[in-house]
Amino acid sequence: MDFDLPEDIRLMQATINKFVNQTLEPLSAQIEEDDAIPEDVVQSMREMGLFGMSVPEEYGGLGLPTLGECLVYEEISRVNSSVRMRFSTNNGIGSLGILYDGTPEQRERFLPSIASGEKTIAFALTEPDAGSDASAIRTSAVRDGDQFVLNGRKMFITNGAIADLITVLAVTDPDKGARGGITAFVVAKPTPGLEVGKLEKKMGLRGSGTAELIFEDCRVPVDNVIGGEEMIGRGFQTAMKVLDKGRLTLAASSVGMARKALELAVLYAKQRVQFGRPIGEFQLIQGMLAQMATEIYAGQTMVYRTAWQKDQGRPVRKEAAMSKLYCTEMLGRVCDSALQIHGGMGYMKEYAIERIYRDARVTRIYEGTSEIQKLVIAKELLRD
Ligand code: COS
């Protein structure tokens, strides 16, 4: 076993570290205040290739292995998870369907502008009545010649309002459901019949937009069915494969956020004096710090190991679900302890832990709740 990172990944990590410390860290409070990421920061991320980390070099991306991508997510999320979400749909849930199952022509057509960040791509699966039960989606796609006509509503769509392209899951055969009845499309914006609906006001992740998308007789060419004619009805499988990877990268981000919470807790424990001593000298505080550090180490190791396994071309459905489950639950515990160590100050907006605590909460919900991860893990165990 070799636990040293390859040279090129270490270089990438160092570059990202510099960007994070010099550019992002000082801006984090402003992003929170303005609920927006400054455009020059987005442009810097484009120039660094962050929008195309997972896109192969032949389409203009960096072609990073999953391990490299996870490390980037971990470092960026250490300071601001909203910033990660700005480019993660281009690398993950938005683009992966095209990369995995798209035709060569579709890859040529869509991936270069996704990789450069010129275009933002979102992923639209969730609906008001279909969250965990993803195969219960009702957005319909009815064929009319060489077009499909889409009708329905999608909700909680990350980058939905700003997206130029959207990977949309819709029902093409209601009788077949997840097995042959759901199709994945790429829908461009603007397309008549596609409107951005409500913009959500969230508990956290300020700076990352979450929108409703409304399809009313929205006509999409058959050419935009991911994978072409032969993939009509096979979109659910595409979506599930995409989520397998999304869950792993989200686990990596959770490790980054947890590391930051621990760093803040250690700093505070050294500075805060009570009963005549820094509180870090008290064993109850030390116990919390030790527990946090141990759990972060466990989560980080799971992520790296699963990423390595994926880079070997081996299946990771179970391990990605385990990583997502463990790392996001671990993040919840770590943030709670970090806030506890901060005492009353941790509840105040001037301390970064207050934001991280709020930002962390959704990780146990989106891209599949903890409960769904357990179902996926158990299903794999019983199948094995
Ligand atoms: N990769 C590829 N194919 C997969 C798959 C995966 N990870 N998971 C399931 N499939 C396939 C199955 O193999 C099956 O197809 P076949 O019969 O052709 O083999 C089909 O998809 C249906 O699978 P299943 O019966 O497991 O579907 P369910 O309706 O029971 O749903 C869960 C399974 C609950 C796991 C799924 O609905 C899910 O992941 N829900 C959460 C959705 C989510 O994460 N939402 C977050 C918002 S999106 S950012």
Side-chain angles (χ1 to χ4, degrees):
M1 268 185 244
D2 181 0
F3 285 100
D4 281 332
L5 293 173
E7 178 68 11
D8 53 341
I9 294 184
R10 266 195 291 129
L11 282 175
M12 181 78 189
Q13 196 182 27
T15 310
I16 295 295
N17 250 318
K18 200 167 149 211
F19 172 67
V20 161
N21 294 331
Q22 292 182 357
T23 308
L24 285 188
E25 183 94 63
L27 282 174
S28 234
Q30 187 196 323
I31 292 171
E32 178 72 12
E33 184 69 22
D34 299 349
D35 196 8
I37 302 167
E39 191 46 40
D40 58 332
V41 172
V42 176
Q43 186 52 30
S44 302
M45 296 195 299
R46 287 190 186 105
E47 285 160 17
M48 290 166 76
L50 296 187
F51 283 82
M53 291 189 295
S54 62
V55 176
E57 285 172 284
E58 60 181 303
Y59 301 112
L62 297 181
L64 282 186
T66 312
L67 179 60
E69 219 185 309
C70 283
L71 285 163
V72 172
Y73 283 129
E74 183 183 329
E75 291 307 325
I76 301 251
S77 303
R78 235 189 87 241
V79 293
N80 198 299
S81 203
S82 298
V83 172
R84 171 194 69 93
M85 292 180 73
R86 179 64 184 85
F87 62 89
S88 69
T89 53
N90 273 41
N91 289 287
I93 53 178
S95 68
L96 284 178
I98 303 170
L99 187 63
Y100 290 162
D101 289 335
T103 62
E105 181 279 323
Q106 287 171 339
R107 291 189 198 133
E108 291 281 351
R109 181 154 45 115
F110 295 120
L111 291 179
S113 60
I114 292 171
S116 67
E118 178 202 329
K119 293 198 170 157
T120 297
I121 183 160
F123 177 73
L125 171 66
T126 301
E127 298 182 3
D129 294 319
S132 289
D133 188 4
S135 62
I137 57 169
R138 285 200 231 147
T139 295
S140 62
V142 176
R143 188 151 189 176
D144 181 16
D146 58 1
Q147 295 180 323
F148 277 89
V149 184
L150 271 61
N151 279 286
R153 297 170 99 81
K154 296 288 179 181
M155 70 188 297
F156 299 160
I157 309 305
T158 300
N159 296 331
I162 58 167
D164 308 282
L165 299 168
I166 306 153
T167 293
V168 180
L169 279 299
V171 179
T172 39
D173 187 339
D175 295 333
K176 292 190 178 153
R179 290 185 179 78
I182 292 176
T183 301
F185 299 85
V186 179
V187 182
K189 260 207 283 138
T191 296
L194 167 57
E195 297 289 336
V196 175
K198 188 173 129 199
L199 293 175
E200 302 291 346
K201 292 198 172 88
K202 304 189 295 291
M203 178 186 197
L205 291 178
R206 285 172 63 78
S208 171
T210 308
E212 178 189 35
L213 297 174
I214 302 163
F215 297 86
E216 277 176 358
D217 293 330
C218 174
R219 288 182 170 269
V220 180
V222 172
D223 283 352
N224 284 22
V225 169
I226 293 182
E229 293 272 355
E230 70 192 55
M231 284 297 287
I232 292 173
R234 290 167 61 190
F236 191 76
Q237 285 72 5
T238 301
M240 291 297 118
K241 280 190 285 182
V242 163
L243 283 174
D244 282 343
K245 171 135 182 243
R247 288 166 182 167
L248 177 59
T249 53
L250 184 53
S253 299
S254 301
V255 169
M257 293 171 79
R259 277 175 49 207
K260 184 66 176 182
L262 175 62
E263 283 167 30
L264 293 171
V266 168
L267 201 66
Y268 195 80
K270 284 178 170 174
Q271 288 169 355
R272 172 71 171 167
V273 174
Q274 286 291 275
F275 304 102
R277 284 192 278 167
I279 60 170
E281 289 185 15
F282 295 111
Q283 288 188 338
L284 287 176
I285 300 289
Q286 290 175 4
M288 278 197 262
L289 294 174
Q291 182 71 27
M292 292 155 81
T294 306
E295 291 196 38
I296 292 170
Y297 179 53
Q300 193 179 45
T301 308
M302 284 174 90
V303 170
Y304 293 1
R305 156 79 205 228
T306 306
W308 169 84
Q309 190 167 317
K310 185 163 173 41
D311 288 333
Q312 306 302 305
R314 286 155 53 182
V316 293
R317 195 184 298 182
K318 182 175 67 188
E319 291 78 3
M322 286 172 162
S323 302
K324 204 264 182 190
L325 171 66
Y326 182 80
C327 292
T328 59
E329 293 283 337
M330 171 276 281
L331 173 61
R333 290 190 293 273
V334 165
C335 284
D336 196 62
S337 297
L339 199 147
Q340 191 70 14
I341 289 170
H342 280 75
M345 294 317 290
Y347 201 65
M348 303 301 147
K349 289 215 174 281
E350 66 185 281
Y351 278 76
I353 190 62
E354 185 271 345
R355 171 181 62 78
I356 299 171
Y357 183 87
R358 284 183 291 104
D359 287 354
R361 187 60 185 86
V362 75
T363 62
R364 282 185 268 164
I365 299 171
Y366 64 12
E367 295 198 26
T369 60
S370 292
E371 293 71 26
I372 288 293
Q373 306 311 319
K374 287 182 186 168
L375 293 186
V376 172
I377 297 162
K379 219 173 200 179
E380 291 295 304
L381 287 174
L382 294 167
R383 203 173 56 154
D384 288 350

